Amino acid sequence: MTPGKPRSGETPAQDPSSGDRMARKGRLLIVDDEPQIGNTLRLLLDPDHEVVPVTSGREALERIKTDTAFDIIFCDLMMPEISGMDFYKALSQVAPQLVDRLVFMTGGVFSPRTNAFLETISNTCIEKPFDISALLALISSRVR
């Protein structure tokens, strides 16, 4: 392999002509019961990344059963039917290789159960509304 050249099938981390922009497009799954969150993130992050929004943990798990090619899975902690905590447990059964790609999103309301859960895991948790520069930095650090 020639230094500085990607192996076959790889994409270089940066395109010299684009400055600091990433050359590789990330695949992001957004799991939030509020459709506007997924749609907003898709508008914000396209065309740099492929954003796949779903509105329930159940829908996300069904999709993951046939498609595990996600760089990051953003998941709301507080959702009806399947909470973020329940999604985490189910994901660890369905696709354990994706658990470390899970980033939780929250509006900041925590129950004692939620606090206890967050203390037992190493996954990142980000606040809504999002700090856009912090969100972009997080994505950039995980999509290489």
Side-chain angles (χ1 to χ4, degrees):
M1 182 170 93
T2 308
K5 285 192 132 185
R7 285 180 260 157
S8 178
E10 278 188 358
T11 304
Q14 287 186 352
D15 176 355
S17 66
S18 67
D20 290 329
R21 291 179 60 121
M22 293 179 308
R24 185 168 94 72
K25 201 174 189 176
R27 281 193 85 224
L28 315 175
L29 178 62
I30 313 299
V31 186
D32 198 306
D33 59 309
E34 298 178 42
Q36 65 270 28
I37 298 291
N39 292 334
T40 298
L41 287 173
R42 184 173 26 198
L43 289 171
L44 173 70
L45 299 170
D46 270 349
D48 295 327
H49 302 286
E50 179 185 349
V51 178
V52 178
V54 296
T55 57
S56 74
R58 188 172 326 292
E59 185 180 355
L61 290 167
E62 286 303 314
R63 182 171 200 108
I64 287 168
K65 286 177 183 175
T66 60
D67 180 6
T68 60
F70 293 103
D71 295 294
I72 305 173
I73 300 170
F74 289 99
C75 180
D76 189 16
L77 264 173
M78 307 304 282
M79 295 185 291
E81 295 181 37
I82 296 178
S83 70
M85 295 177 288
D86 296 332
F87 178 77
Y88 177 92
K89 291 174 193 164
L91 184 64
S92 64
Q93 297 296 313
V94 172
Q97 73 277 18
L98 296 181
V99 169
D100 65 334
R101 298 179 192 185
L102 187 56
V103 173
F104 290 104
M105 306 179 292
T106 181
V109 177
F110 295 114
S111 68
R113 180 175 172 245
T114 305
N115 280 331
F117 170 75
L118 290 173
E119 289 175 10
T120 65
I121 62 168
S122 61
N123 298 72
T124 301
C125 186
I126 59 175
E127 296 280 328
K128 294 190 247 178
F130 304 113
D131 173 332
I132 301 301
S133 60
L135 178 68
L136 294 174
L138 172 68
I139 294 168
S140 178
S141 73
R142 294 192 181 205
V143 176
R144 296 180 207 159

